[in-house]
Amino acid sequence: MSGPQAKKLFVKTYGCQMNVYDSERMAEALGAEGYVPTDVIEDADMVLLNTCHIREKASEKLYSDLGRLKPLKAEKPGLKIGVAGCVAQAEGAEILRRMPLVDLVVGPQAYHRLPEMLRLPGQSVDTDFPAEDKFDHLPARKGRRGPTAFLTVQEGCDKFCAFCVVPYTRGAEVSRPAARLLAEARDLVSRGVREITLLGQNVNAWHGESPAGGVWGLGHLVRELAAIPGLDRIRYTTSHPNDMAEDLISAHAEVPQLMPYLHLPVQSGSDRILKAMNRKHTAAHYLDLVARIRAARPDMLLTSDFIVGFPGETDADFEATMALIRAVHYGAAFSFKYSARPGTPAAEKPPVAAEIADSRLQALQALILDQQHAAQAAMVGREVQVLYEKPGRLPGQMVGKSQHLMAVFVQDPTGQVGDLVRARVSASAPNSLAADRIPD
Ligand code: SAH
Ligand code: SF4
Ligand code: F3S
């Protein structure tokens, strides 16, 4: 309980949505040990940094943040400092050597052991990939929740793209059993959740044990989730083009709760670079897949990730990427300059000059931004459904997401967080829409 004696926990999350989910679960595990969350770092009895290793910048952020914690730790020697997530997994004890103020380092598969670690004297490290399932050892989730939630269904990656650390930091692909996921989803819905985003590093590679002992694919899981009364919206991320099964594509045509939005990273449009990246598909294969997905769900909004300046990328390779983007018409995309990561195969290869990579990134981002503006502008005059997530800044205004995950501002003085309403889009801005509520 949160009495005056309660210890306070400050959590900072970097990286992907799975880290957001993990941070929640870690806070709950520590909650069972008497920690209550705080947003004020100076009040904290424990600071937990949940880190990301994906690019050099993300990783270095940990060390600058730890440096800034030195005065606080000097003032408050009892302060516990923990490092979790993918840098913890990749660098382990090295973090303690570089930063003696850190008390514990815990990897993404071992964080259910956090409470035990806290009881150990001195510094401790746990970067095991334990045989037990961490989810079996985490406390049950409690309390009322907001209208949207994440649910990890799959973790890890067996793909080994030549640039990527995830297979090393998250380990091999593991799918959680369907019965557990259905139970967790029902529980979330009973606490007020109306939209669930299924998470996995390769979420569409999920192939979990079915309640009857067989194996389901993600399309089947989506259909079972859609049968839960009160679960109005289902999303999933991140998908790999090679794991987009027919049954999942047809679920987009058949399951109204499955939202018409898909993050489908392609990384490059050049077959030569895709091969060097070990993506195991061509640009034509990706474009064909996009066509099949759009045939199933014509209003599907697609987003992607791109890497520019991968070792060996020529102007022609980059142009092939731009051509692919022009062919697809994305709703948005994340794009990154290639960052060499220690231990990955591509890190051995000579890099593309930084100025060249910078100018490619700029050109690519300008094109994506044009497409994003066009996708937003195309919504004007159309009816959307909005799930209110919070009040807006203006009086009587509510903010939520449309089916296509666009932020929508609605003037609705009687609107409540958690309402799912119909609205007509009146104006578009680069990152949001304005809409008028359509009375029920
Ligand atoms: N599992 C997902 C995404 C994983 S990481 C997938 O397969 O697509 C998220 C994004 O970070 C990747 O899609 C990629 O675009 C980017 N990324 C990963 N490693 C990178 C690196 N070394 N340099 C730059 N960007 C990288
Ligand atoms: Fe990384 Fe590739 Fe696995 Fe995605 S599929 S997590 S980019 S190795
Ligand atoms: Fe980063 Fe790990 Fe997620 S490296 S992107 S936090 S899986």
Side-chain angles (χ1 to χ4, degrees):
M1 287 309 334
S2 64
Q5 296 309 315
K7 293 173 283 181
K8 297 209 168 91
L9 171 70
F10 178 91
V11 183
K12 178 164 177 187
T13 308
Y14 318 70
C16 62
Q17 288 150 323
M18 195 173 289
N19 263 12
V20 174
Y21 178 84
D22 289 340
S23 287
E24 248 178 51
R25 303 298 310 248
M26 286 191 276
E28 288 162 2
L30 292 168
E33 301 295 302
Y35 281 93
V36 297
T38 178
D39 294 333
V40 185
I41 197 163
E42 290 77 16
D43 291 351
D45 299 287
M46 176 164 183
V47 172
L48 186 63
L49 304 174
N50 193 13
T51 61
C52 174
H53 195 56
I54 201 82
R55 285 167 291 276
E56 192 178 353
K57 263 200 200 134
S59 211
E60 281 305 313
K61 193 126 200 356
L62 166 67
Y63 291 102
S64 59
D65 281 355
L66 284 174
R68 264 184 271 127
L69 280 172
K70 276 182 191 160
L72 193 61
K73 179 93 173 187
E75 216 176 275
K76 246 188 172 181
L79 175 70
K80 292 265 185 203
I81 297 182
V83 177
C86 290
V87 183
Q89 189 62 43
E91 297 184 4
E94 176 63 24
I95 298 173
L96 299 181
R97 272 192 293 276
R98 244 176 106 173
M99 289 287 172
L101 82 169
V102 174
D103 297 284
L104 57 96
V105 174
V106 66
Q109 304 309 345
Y111 66 71
H112 54 296
R113 297 173 177 168
L114 259 174
E116 290 162 46
M117 292 178 78
L118 269 179
R119 283 180 218 114
L120 299 172
Q123 294 180 308
S124 54
V125 180
D126 190 341
T127 50
D128 279 1
F129 288 108
E132 79 266 13
D133 179 350
K134 64 175 179 258
F135 296 110
D136 289 345
H137 297 266
L138 289 166
R141 316 188 72 183
K142 296 189 257 192
R144 228 22 226 173
R145 304 184 53 101
T148 65
F150 291 137
L151 172 54
T152 292
V153 302
Q154 179 278 340
E155 255 192 280
C157 182
D158 300 338
K159 299 272 191 297
F160 291 92
C161 298
F163 50 81
C164 184
V165 294
V166 171
Y168 313 97
T169 63
R170 290 276 166 173
E173 278 181 17
V174 177
S175 295
R176 297 179 65 195
R180 306 273 175 83
L181 299 172
L182 293 169
E184 199 172 325
R186 277 188 211 104
D187 180 65
L188 287 168
V189 170
S190 75
R191 298 177 196 293
V193 171
R194 300 185 75 168
E195 171 179 311
I196 291 181
T197 302
L198 308 176
L199 296 183
Q201 268 87 36
N202 276 298
V203 71
N204 56 346
W206 180 85
H207 53 283
E209 187 188 325
S210 78
V215 176
W216 287 351
L218 193 68
H220 196 143
L221 180 67
V222 162
R223 292 168 208 269
E224 298 287 333
L225 286 166
I228 298 176
L231 181 53
D232 298 301
R233 289 178 158 192
I234 303 167
R235 304 180 188 277
Y236 57 95
T237 198
T238 294
S239 295
H240 191 287
N242 291 353
D243 291 317
M244 210 61 215
E246 272 317 315
D247 184 48
L248 183 57
I249 296 176
S250 59
H252 277 285
E254 293 156 17
V255 179
Q257 293 90 334
L258 187 56
M259 291 292 103
Y261 174 96
L262 183 62
H263 185 58
L264 194 65
V266 64
Q267 315 297 352
S268 168
S270 153
D271 288 345
R272 221 173 56 83
I273 294 296
L274 286 169
K275 188 152 197 279
M277 286 177 162
N278 194 31
R279 290 291 290 185
K280 299 199 173 89
H281 63 77
T282 61
H285 170 229
Y286 182 85
L287 291 172
D288 173 64
L289 177 60
V290 166
R292 285 188 290 130
I293 293 166
R294 286 197 168 134
R297 185 75 207 224
D299 66 336
M300 180 72 84
L301 190 94
L302 286 161
T303 63
S304 182
D305 294 343
F306 295 93
I307 295 177
V308 301
F310 185 80
E313 186 186 69
T314 63
D315 284 344
D317 293 320
F318 177 66
E319 274 314 310
T321 301
M322 296 292 271
L324 178 139
I325 296 171
R326 285 188 200 100
V328 172
H329 294 285
Y330 287 103
F334 295 110
S335 48
F336 312 99
K337 207 160 64 156
Y338 169 73
S339 167
R341 305 305 291 131
T344 60
E348 311 293 317
K349 300 198 186 155
V352 166
E355 323 76 80
I356 295 181
D358 282 332
S359 76
R360 287 179 188 163
L361 187 63
Q362 264 185 11
L364 188 149
Q365 287 181 338
L367 176 58
I368 291 288
L369 211 58
D370 278 353
Q371 296 194 344
Q372 183 179 328
H373 291 179
Q376 298 267 135
M379 299 308 298
V380 175
R382 280 171 59 180
E383 181 182 323
V384 290
Q385 274 164 14
V386 188
L387 178 59
Y388 290 158
E389 293 178 13
K390 56 182 187 205
R393 250 175 294 158
L394 302 177
Q397 190 185 52
M398 297 301 294
V399 195
K401 297 278 166 39
S402 70
Q403 299 94 309
H404 297 107
L405 210 61
M406 292 174 179
V408 189
F409 291 82
V410 186
Q411 204 53 40
D412 186 356
T414 58
Q416 300 288 320
V417 170
D419 288 352
L420 183 59
V421 306
R422 296 193 304 140
R424 188 157 316 273
V425 178
S426 56
S428 79
N431 293 309
S432 64
L433 301 173
D436 301 313
R437 176 143 186 200
I438 298 171
D440 296 322

